Amino acid sequence: MTAFSTTQPIIRRKQHALDVQDLEGLLHIHIQIKDLKLFSSFYTRIDQVFVLWGSITAVIFLTAQFLTLSWADQAMLWSVLTLVGSWGTCRLAWYWVTVERLRWVVYTWVGLMIGGVLLTNWGIFGGGWVVLPHLCELWLGLSGIGYLVTAWGLRSRAFMFSGLLHFGAISFLSYVPEWQFLLTGIVTAGSLFLLAELQWDMHSIDDAQLLTVEQKQFNHKQRELRDLDL
């Protein structure tokens, strides 16, 4: 079993020498007014998943913190957005996780999110009122588990620290009882947006059966270029 790599930085700026599976569905965003560049970046399909879930979690927890929607309305909103996010994750990430042999990570995340929705809805519609005061702990905990599972699959310290951050945030909720949803939203959405904007460490397999010999050779050359930029 491959251990966590200490040769790669935990996070760094994005590198342009991308593997075949990262180039699939790559999204470039460049915003410029005349000669003034306002924003320029690119997003792999995995980055797009992070942006999708970052937006979803921001909407959910900011709504819970600042809007006066009923618990029932919020539960329906959370359910719909979670299903959209789960479908989007499978749609965007499938090729990448297939190449990297990490489909089980997607299954884990989808299971955690749907399980969280079921528990939340049970708390609101099914009389499980013990759940309602602990929704933030629930979602931070589920996200923390998902990050640690992902860290193990990718051999990534960045995801490991993200998981620990989510578990650590649970202990701070009692200090901000009136702002728990805001804190949860900042941690969950902030982590996702940060991961989307930076490059994180991981161990990528060398014998992906889905790739052709030429694609494997291309990936090998790309990794050599990335290593020169360390």
Side-chain angles (χ1 to χ4, degrees):
M1 185 66 70
T2 305
F4 289 84
S5 173
T6 58
T7 59
Q8 299 182 46
I10 297 176
I11 55 173
R12 55 178 159 170
R13 62 179 177 81
K14 288 184 177 180
Q15 295 172 298
H16 292 271
L18 300 177
D19 291 343
V20 169
Q21 58 268 33
D22 293 312
L23 291 171
E24 178 76 16
L26 190 68
L27 175 65
H28 289 268
I29 296 180
H30 184 81
I31 303 175
Q32 181 170 332
I33 300 178
K34 294 184 178 180
D35 295 328
L36 179 62
K37 182 173 70 174
L38 300 178
F39 180 81
S40 182
S41 188
F42 60 88
Y43 299 90
T44 67
R45 286 282 179 85
I46 301 302
D47 295 331
Q48 293 169 40
V49 170
F50 295 149
V51 172
L52 172 63
W53 276 107
S55 302
I56 288 173
T57 54
V59 168
I60 287 175
F61 289 104
L62 291 178
T63 297
Q65 182 67 60
F66 295 109
L67 299 185
T68 57
L69 289 178
S70 68
W71 282 113
D73 289 338
Q74 289 191 54
M76 289 186 287
L77 173 64
W78 291 13
S79 298
V80 171
L81 290 181
T82 300
L83 290 175
V84 170
S86 298
W87 175 84
T89 298
C90 295
R91 181 71 175 83
L92 292 170
W94 201 248
Y95 177 74
W96 191 90
V97 297
T98 300
V99 172
E100 298 288 349
R101 299 179 184 173
L102 292 169
R103 287 183 179 179
W104 59 273
V105 173
V106 171
Y107 296 146
T108 300
W109 273 106
V110 171
L112 288 170
M113 296 300 99
I114 292 179
V117 166
L118 292 176
L119 283 173
T120 300
N121 289 347
W122 173 66
I124 294 172
F125 298 114
W129 293 103
V130 68
V131 175
L132 293 183
H134 304 288
L135 287 178
C136 291
E137 290 97 325
L138 171 66
W139 286 99
L140 285 171
L142 291 174
S143 297
I145 293 171
Y147 278 115
L148 293 183
V149 169
T150 306
W152 178 253
L154 273 64
R155 300 299 185 267
S156 172
R157 292 164 295 162
F159 283 91
M160 180 182 68
F161 287 128
S162 184
L164 295 177
L165 172 65
H166 282 69
F167 284 120
I170 294 175
S171 62
F172 285 95
L173 292 175
S174 60
Y175 294 101
V176 287
E178 296 182 357
W179 301 99
Q180 290 191 7
F181 288 104
L182 178 60
L183 175 61
T184 302
I186 290 173
V187 172
T188 55
S191 298
L192 289 161
F193 288 137
L194 182 65
L195 289 169
E197 292 297 333
L198 299 173
Q199 183 171 320
W200 21 270
D201 64 314
M202 66 167 287
H203 172 77
S204 186
I205 63 174
D206 297 317
D207 59 341
Q209 297 178 354
L210 187 66
L211 301 181
T212 65
V213 174
E214 291 76 13
Q215 289 174 324
K216 293 177 183 178
Q217 292 174 344
F218 175 82
N219 283 358
H220 181 71
K221 292 179 181 178
Q222 295 294 81
R223 290 168 197 173
E224 288 180 341
L225 291 174
R226 293 198 296 270
D227 291 339
L228 292 174
D229 196 29
L230 287 175

